[in-house]
Amino acid sequence: MKLKTALLGAATAVALSGVTAQAERGADGHLNIIYWQAASILNPFLSGGTKDTEASSMVIEPLARYDEQGNMLPWLVDEIPTVANGGISEDLTTITWKLTPGIKWSDGSDFTAADVVFTGEYCMHPEGGCQQESKFAGVKNVEALDDLTVKITFDGPKPFPYAPFVGVESPIIQAAQFANCLGADAPNCTEANFGPHGTGPFRVTEFKANDVISYEANPHYRDPAKPAFATATFKGGGDAAAAARSVLETGEFDYAWNLQIDPTILTQMAGAGKGTVVSSFGTSVERLMVNLSNPDAALGDKRSTLEGGPHPFLTDPIVRTALSKAIDRALVSEVGYGAAGKPTCNVLPAPAIYASTANDACLGQDIAGANAMLEGAGWVKGADGIRAKDGVRLSILYQTSTNAVRQDTQALLKQWWSEIGVETELKNVDAGVFFGGDQSSPDTYQKLFADIEMYTNNFAGTDPEAYMGNWVCDEIPMPSNNWLGSNMPRYCDPAYDALAAKMGQTSALEERAELAKAMNDMLMQAGAMIPLVHRGDVSAHSNTLNGVKMNSWDSELWNVADWTRAD
Amino acid sequence: MLDATPRKLVEVRDLKMHFPIYAGILRKRVGEVKAVDGVSFDIFAGETLGLVGESGCGKSTCGRAILRLYDITDGSVKIDGAEIGDTPQGGLRKMRPTMQMVFQDPQASLNPRMTVEAIIGEPLMEHTDLSRDKRRDRVHELMDAVGLNRTFSNRYPHEFSGGQRQRIGIARALALNPKFIVCDEPIAALDVSIQAQVVNLLEDLQEKFDLTYLFISHDLSMVRHIADRVAVMYLGKVVELSPREALYAEPLHPYTKALLSAVPEPDPDMTTEDRVILQGDVPSPSNPPQGCNFCTRCPAVMDICHREDPEFREVQPGRFVACHHYNQTAGDTAASEDNKSIQQGETT
Amino acid sequence: MLNYTIRRLMFTIPVLLFISFIIFLLLDLAPNDPTGNLPMTIPPEVREKIRESLGLGQPIHVRYFKWCVQFFVNEPLNIIDQMFGTCTWGCEDRLRVQSWATRSPVVDLIVERMPQTLWVVGMSYVVGILIAIPIGVISAYRQYSWFDQAGTFVSMVGFSVPTFFTGVLMIVIFSVMIPTDSWFWFPSIYDTTHKVTDLASFGFQIRQMAMPVFVLALYNAAQISRFMRASMLDNLNQDYVRTARAKGMRERVVLLVHVLRNSLIPVVTVIALGVPQVFGGAIITEQVFKVNGLGQLLIIGIQGADIPLVQTLTFIFAVLIVLFNLIADILYGILDPRIRYD
Ligand SMILES: Nc1ncnc2c1ncn2[C@@H]1O[C@H](COP(=O)(O)OP(=O)(O)O)[C@@H](O)[C@H]1O
Ligand SMILES: [Mg+2]
């Protein structure tokens, strides 16, 4: 790889002597990217995995995307449609995008509204198994008004209509290439899935599934001076530590993604001086989900359901608050996440306009306070040091997925909780099973046959409406909906549901932010969830690579067209 | 053998073969197995010297050491006038054609992956420059000589019966016209019915090719049949060496007597009461007793036996023995008196 | 021998069918979900639809039957078509075994992985054998010499130190500590797109293979040299070796023709039995050096619950194991005249 880089570098240097490197497409030679999880496919509609969507983001693009601050940027359009500029109808049921004229596909053909319409049709096909289908939730119709105008009609008012065709997960694919790949035929179009035509800065020259992708600069890219790199490799395989090493220590690669490894090791590697560790914070929060229903095995089918009745002690807000108070979030974050984490008291910590400050008191650990609270509420310590009231002992089964950091966190919390007289039994479940959603397994995170569970969740893009909608009554997983639902705490408050409904009818950004904060605060004060760590993304880039803007709101490669080689 | 002056083909003097014993993690040398511990005898051209003794007494080791299949610890071996005791293995190769060996286990001693022709022909390739065809002819000749059907020359050893395999082994040994052959229990692994055939074959070949044999066996009656003289070994040493008739008629060494009395042959002169049954076990060759090796089991043991190792010397013309009974007086009467006391004292 | 081979092959067919069914059953019973690794932002209804679109809604016997048709009928037909450029019936919409993660035919993925696996894992096997045999021979011939002791130590190390340790150690030494422009610097990441076209690119191929091949060869050599040594020791004490010496053969001939040839019989069998592992790839070493061969394909398939991929790969491994068992038996029969199969 080194040799190739050197050769290419030399060749381009000769060809371009006297010209400033940044000003010319392909002037900077070869770019080496490593994603330790190899890309399986370049069609994000058939694989929602981050590795796949990001690999494809160098090739195919959405109409608008998010910058590193979480602001929406027009990408294949000239401006973002709003009610104010008439792009969104007054009744909030339609949005009209005007495409930038002159954009071409990498095969030289014109990019038109028909491609956008086709993409919608492709993903909304009932038999296609489109993994980004939720982006098109509520879309009634996508139509081309003319070659450069697309109108999306929703089946009701859509206050935040920026889900379809916005962000890394909803790019536009070429109608001509995928015409025969609709519905059940989608998986049979291997060639198209492995080498989609795109409007992005690169196009695929070779795709080896689960291994490596070779790109070259797209000759039809809209900005003739970009990308600076003539070719690029997107290598997969190995693990995060090896990827970090290849950028920070051996210098073989220019960019390594998702380096969730022991923070001290990462710092040590960065000490070699070849590369830089970068992080950014999106919406991921490692949190505890408190089961408000009764997980007692004796309940049989009614276990952990609303019908099974309330939890024997976690329904007491004092207990939930005490549990939260006993935690030193800063320490949890430091030990487990290093640069990739910071303590948080909100389940909705970002983007900044949505972040509440009402709950920040939880940042400080207060074991004495927690003890006092419990004492005051009548939870008194028994002979074994465990608090009890009316024969109910504070004994918690605390589950999470198998993962070294999570097990460390579990151990810390168990220690702190023991100091406030709460007994904790730890359990960890293989991630594949825990998150797998297998109906027959009792260990899924949805069934929550435990008192407390811990995992991270987030939302894509910047709009929290759908995310905050996770905790309405209808989202409670139960046997009748095959345990499909995301309201793990089984939290059910009509007031919360009302706020969620209101948000669904509000379009103005400031108002939406107020609503979201209010919902976050409700959840936090009810103690249905105990947030621990705001988790960021950590990547690393070579010191010879300029232009990286780490982005948690979109693809990390969102601005790869602007990346250049430092001299 | 008393006629004329027979030529000595093999002269063994004070031959010693000690195998080192290692033990411990670091494999330190902690002792040695004195498998052959000072053996001297001659073999005359054209004769068969029988070498008998209990299993484990060092017969095979002795036979192999004489042929220098081991690097011997000490002593001298002269074959056909040439001293080979200290010749390095490389130099020995050229002398190998003179001296050959027939092994006890015909199955194990033949390379399972070689055909009969290759097995017999290999030494020809190494030591002669016969053409391919000539070599084949010679192989066929040898097969005829040992009574093997020459059409079987392309078969592998496992396709033959035990007796046939031993014939292959013999043909192989004969290939280079040796003068001296060590037969290490060549019939022990064979069925009784076949043993006689092989022994007869060996006798015929001896006559035909003028061979000299060292015939190793634990079977006294077979040795009586084939050998001209017999050497008796006990715990790494030759205790008695006599012409056959004399040995069987009047054994001198107490051990020989015990051995002969144990032969299940119906002997009119010997009643069951006369049997000498040896007490105790054979001592370990790694830790032989002080004095005479046989002193721990000897029915006629004397004080001196525990102190001094008896000299191996000629007590009658042509008869050698290593026993203090013959050393003290050198008189025949004393010896025979002792013999009586032995037999009376230790009868069971 | 031919009859024997045919008889064995015939017996193999029901065995393999049975194996394929067991694998299918096991994979089906295992708690894994192809949508399990998707981001949490994908809601459960969509996951359910994805599973549906993968055919998971059908009962197990239907899915197994479909796989059988795809694997045993469609894939061979496809190979025939590709070889002769023909189009036997229904080549247009013939359903091949499709990977869920890549939505591409599994067999194509496997074919794509072959070169790096054979280059790296296969080469390490060959190198391992080439190192192991002389070491085994000399160690046995000079039993307990310092050479033997050193050999025992090295093979103990090669045997017991896991390849992820030796691999990373090599990377730290040869990719991190050695400066990049030094001749002793070796790439830590295998470039599967590299094509050998001339001497320089061949040189690069050798360099990028060097570390993974060494690590694996050490491991293989450790195993095989032990076998070789034991087998040589067995034979060195045999009477026929003494016979050969008594014949006055040169020591070299005794050792190489008599002892080595006989000792190789069991070793060759062991080597043949190890060949399926080559195809299985060395999962860990492939991961460490990012070789991305068959081993990595399998592990990704398992992690992503890509059942058709795992099913097909595992089954192919099963076929190879059964096949190489047969080959080992036949080799034994050819090499050892004492063995007859008729
Ligand atoms: N290679 C060897 N290493 C160590 N000890 C040996 C070796 N060969 C023979 N011995 C020992 O030497 C003694 C004599 O053995 P051997 O000559 O085979 O006896 P025999 O042929 O009379 O039965 C036995 O105690 C045997 O264990
Ligand atoms: Mg013996």
Side-chain angles (χ1 to χ4, degrees), chain B residues 27 64 69 93 96 100 103 105 108-114 119 122-123 126-127 156 158 172, chain C residues 144 149 238-240 242-243 245-251 253 257-258 261-262 265 335-338:
Chain B
R27 291 187 44 79
R64 289 168 190 166
L69 292 175
R93 271 198 328 110
R96 291 267 172 229
Q100 280 299 323
F103 293 93
D105 183 347
S109 64
L110 301 174
N111 189 332
R113 289 190 56 195
M114 288 174 114
I119 289 170
E122 198 188 24
E126 180 71 25
H127 295 285
Y156 289 93
H158 71 273
R172 196 224 88 234
Chain C
Y144 301 124
Q149 312 277 15
Q238 298 277 320
D239 271 352
Y240 74 83
R242 212 168 274 127
T243 310
R245 292 219 174 92
K247 281 177 183 175
M249 307 309 294
R250 282 164 221 273
E251 199 55 20
V253 177
V257 176
H258 290 260
R261 280 213 201 148
N262 278 290
I265 298 174
L335 293 176
D336 190 339
R338 282 169 296 185

Side-chain angles (χ1 to χ4, degrees), chain B residues 19-20 33 35 54-62 64 70 184-185 285:
Chain B
F19 296 109
V33 180
E54 287 166 282
S55 150
C57 71
K59 304 181 298 292
S60 297
T61 308
C62 183
R64 289 168 190 166
Y70 291 130
D184 186 1
E185 312 212 28

